[in-house]
């Protein structure tokens, strides 16, 4: 069934890594995107570039620099525009930082979501897609993880995801007019094939591929490999890496379900590829794509890391009619394209994005 092409989607955190790629796919898919972001971990340049790639559809893009905890500002946006659904990406995501400063995470991730949901309810907007995370599976005894696996919080960050998931289930049970899709992402990597938008972490990169990318462009000297004594083929940790454009498309599929299926309820889906790749396999694929040697320093295991984590994608394939298309080679190729064109991300060597 074709969608009404004028649906307006409010995208929180739409200037960020996954958000910017999703906003682009929304515009290209004929939606209107209203981005709300406080630019805490992103740059307005990402939004400008999304508009550039979107061409004529850029007229359907609006940006508000607003913190989600600012209820008054949110109310104003909902009063001035009829919002058909919300995709909620905004949040802080550094696991280690959440252990050091849990209140920051409860305030920024939980309070902002509470505020958003209150404003949505008061304006009768009851359609939501939320960014959850595979972190809620902890260190499972078996893989692939299915959506029914037991859930566990390994950090305050993970606990905010679990609590928000539970809050969404409670809201739906109290009021079945809500349609909510909780998406548990595995490890998003890569960039839009244009090389104009990509991941640009502030400060020290916590995740594998942003670090590899910064080594490749000469911003860091070597990659520290956290453990080579796991029970995996080469001893390094295994994860389910997914191309960020595939992930973005997963949100469009989720929205379609919400708009087309009145019985959506509150459902959870894994977004991954269903395949595991080790740290050394990722490094080798990136070296091949970039032609750059990535010097390695082997170190001990990172506390809290699981050995092997990948997800089952069967439920998303069946019910969202979505399946990841891109390979590890594509992810590395596109990540290198972005990195080589933008070695300092959206910033410059002197800007705050470069530390
Ligand atoms: P990101 O940091 O690039 O994007 C998040 C955006 O939210 C940023 O632009 C930031 O400025 C904004 N933001 C943060 N707090 C805000 C607030 N209070 N008000 C308004 N804007 C605010 O991160 P990302 O990788 O794009 O992640 C998006 C979402 O996906 C997050 O909720 C994250 O927890 C979740 N997630 C990410 C990963 C990953 O590995 N990248 C994996 C699983 C889940
Ligand atoms: C991947 C692999 C590391 C960096 C994290 C969050 C999770 C989710 C996704 C938000 C592991 C190894 C890494 C480095 C390394 N985010 N590694 N050297 O840990 O699977 O998941 O991001 O929800 O919640 O925990 O991703 O990219 O940090 O690590 O050897 O410098 O790379 O040990 O095996 P992770 P990652």
């Amino acid at each position: 069934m074709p969608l009404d092409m004028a649906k307006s989607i409010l995208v929180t955190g739409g200037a960020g890594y996954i958000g910017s790629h999703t906003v682009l796919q929304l515009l290209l898919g004929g939606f209107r995107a209203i981005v709300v972001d406080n630019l805490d971990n992103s740059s307005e340049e990402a939004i400008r570039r999304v508009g550039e790639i979107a061409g004529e559809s850029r007229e359907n893009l609006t940006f508000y620099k607003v913190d989600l905890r600012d209820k008054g500002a949110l109310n104003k946006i909902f009063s001035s525009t009829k919002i058909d659904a919300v995709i909620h990406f905004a949040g802080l995501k550094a696991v280690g930082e959440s252990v050091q400063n849990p209140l920051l995470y409860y305030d920024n991730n939980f309070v902002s979501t509470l505020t958003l949901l209150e404003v949505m309810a008061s304006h009768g907007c009851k359609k939501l897609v939320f960014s959850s995370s595979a972190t809620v599976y902890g260190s499972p005894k078996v893989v692939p993880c299915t959506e029914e696996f037991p859930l566990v919080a390994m950090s305050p960050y993970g606990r905010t995801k679990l609590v928000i998931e539970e809050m969404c289930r409670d809201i739906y049970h109290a009021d079945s007019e809500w349609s909510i899709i909780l998406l548990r992402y595995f490890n998003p990597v890569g960039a839009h094939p244009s090389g104009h938008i990509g991941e640009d972490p502030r400060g020290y990169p916590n995740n594998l591929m942003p670090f590899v990318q910064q080594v490749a462009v000469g911003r860091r000297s070597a990659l520290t490999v956290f453990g080579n004594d796991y029970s995996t083929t080469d001893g390094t940790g295994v994860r389910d890496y997914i191309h960020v454009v595939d992930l973005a498309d997963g949100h469009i599929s989720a929205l379609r379900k919400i708009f087309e299926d009145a019985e959506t309820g509150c459902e959870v889906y894994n977004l991954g590829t269903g395949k595991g790749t080790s740290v050394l396999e990722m490094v080798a694929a990136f070296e091949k794509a970039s032609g750059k040697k990535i010097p390695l320093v082997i170190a001990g295991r990172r506390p809290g890391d699981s050995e092997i984590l990948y997800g089952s994608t069967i439920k998303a394939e069946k019910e969202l009619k979505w399946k990841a298309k891109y390979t590890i080679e594509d992810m590395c190729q596109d990540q290198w394209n972005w990195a080589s064109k933008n070695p300092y991300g959206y910033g410059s060597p002197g800007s705050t994005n470069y530390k």
Side-chain angles (χ1 to χ4, degrees), residues 63-131:
F63 172 63
Y64 294 99
K65 183 174 184 297
V66 160
D67 190 296
L68 277 190
R69 290 161 293 185
D70 184 346
K71 199 170 190 174
L74 263 189
N75 261 316
K76 263 196 198 155
I77 297 170
F78 275 83
S79 300
S80 64
T81 314
K82 187 187 166 292
I83 306 292
D84 294 299
V86 173
I87 307 182
H88 178 32
F89 291 106
L92 300 174
K93 59 168 181 177
V95 174
E97 182 186 53
S98 80
V99 175
Q100 299 303 319
N101 196 350
L103 289 179
L104 174 69
Y105 275 66
Y106 289 117
D107 184 36
N108 195 83
N109 292 8
F110 179 71
V111 174
S112 63
T113 305
L114 181 64
T115 310
L116 172 70
L117 291 171
E118 284 171 348
V119 173
M120 287 175 69
S122 70
H123 289 268
C125 174
K126 298 182 180 178
K127 294 179 168 46
L128 173 74
V129 177
F130 171 65
S131 304

Side-chain angles (χ1 to χ4, degrees), residues 61-277:
L61 174 60
T62 314
F63 172 63
Y64 294 99
K65 183 174 184 297
V66 160
D67 190 296
L68 277 190
R69 290 161 293 185
D70 184 346
K71 199 170 190 174
L74 263 189
N75 261 316
K76 263 196 198 155
I77 297 170
F78 275 83
S79 300
S80 64
T81 314
K82 187 187 166 292
I83 306 292
D84 294 299
V86 173
I87 307 182
H88 178 32
F89 291 106
L92 300 174
K93 59 168 181 177
V95 174
E97 182 186 53
S98 80
V99 175
Q100 299 303 319
N101 196 350
L103 289 179
L104 174 69
Y105 275 66
Y106 289 117
D107 184 36
N108 195 83
N109 292 8
F110 179 71
V111 174
S112 63
T113 305
L114 181 64
T115 310
L116 172 70
L117 291 171
E118 284 171 348
V119 173
M120 287 175 69
S122 70
H123 289 268
C125 174
K126 298 182 180 178
K127 294 179 168 46
L128 173 74
V129 177
F130 171 65
S131 304
S132 188
S133 166
T135 191
V136 299
Y137 295 122
S139 291
K141 290 194 186 75
V142 290
V143 281
C145 307
T146 66
E147 288 80 354
E148 294 75 34
F149 269 32
L151 306 179
V152 57
M154 304 285 278
S155 65
Y157 165 73
R159 203 176 315 278
T160 65
K161 294 296 181 195
L162 270 186
V163 171
I164 294 168
E165 282 201 9
E166 293 296 357
M167 181 164 64
C168 289
R169 287 187 263 273
D170 288 341
I171 290 169
Y172 172 70
H173 286 131
D175 177 357
S176 62
E177 281 183 11
W178 280 84
S179 294
I180 304 178
I181 291 189
L182 310 167
L183 297 175
R184 292 183 186 146
Y185 315 150
F186 282 74
N187 293 57
V189 298
H192 188 263
S194 65
H196 294 315
I197 56 171
E199 185 166 16
D200 183 23
R202 296 239 159 129
Y204 196 82
N206 294 303
N207 297 114
L208 177 66
M209 293 314 281
F211 204 102
V212 167
Q213 167 186 323
Q214 292 193 6
V215 174
V217 299
R219 286 169 60 175
R220 314 235 171 232
S221 55
L223 170 75
T224 304
V225 176
F226 298 137
N228 66 350
D229 58 350
Y230 287 112
S231 312
T232 58
T233 44
D234 58 27
T236 63
V238 167
R239 297 289 183 276
D240 187 341
Y241 298 95
I242 172 167
H243 196 297
V244 66
V245 174
D246 272 332
L247 193 64
D249 284 338
H251 293 74
I252 312 297
S253 302
L255 272 185
R256 285 187 188 280
K257 179 166 175 65
I258 280 182
F259 285 127
E260 291 171 8
D261 178 3
E263 307 291 308
T264 297
C266 180
E267 274 299 330
V268 56
Y269 297 95
N270 287 338
L271 292 186
T273 63
K275 294 185 200 85
T277 306

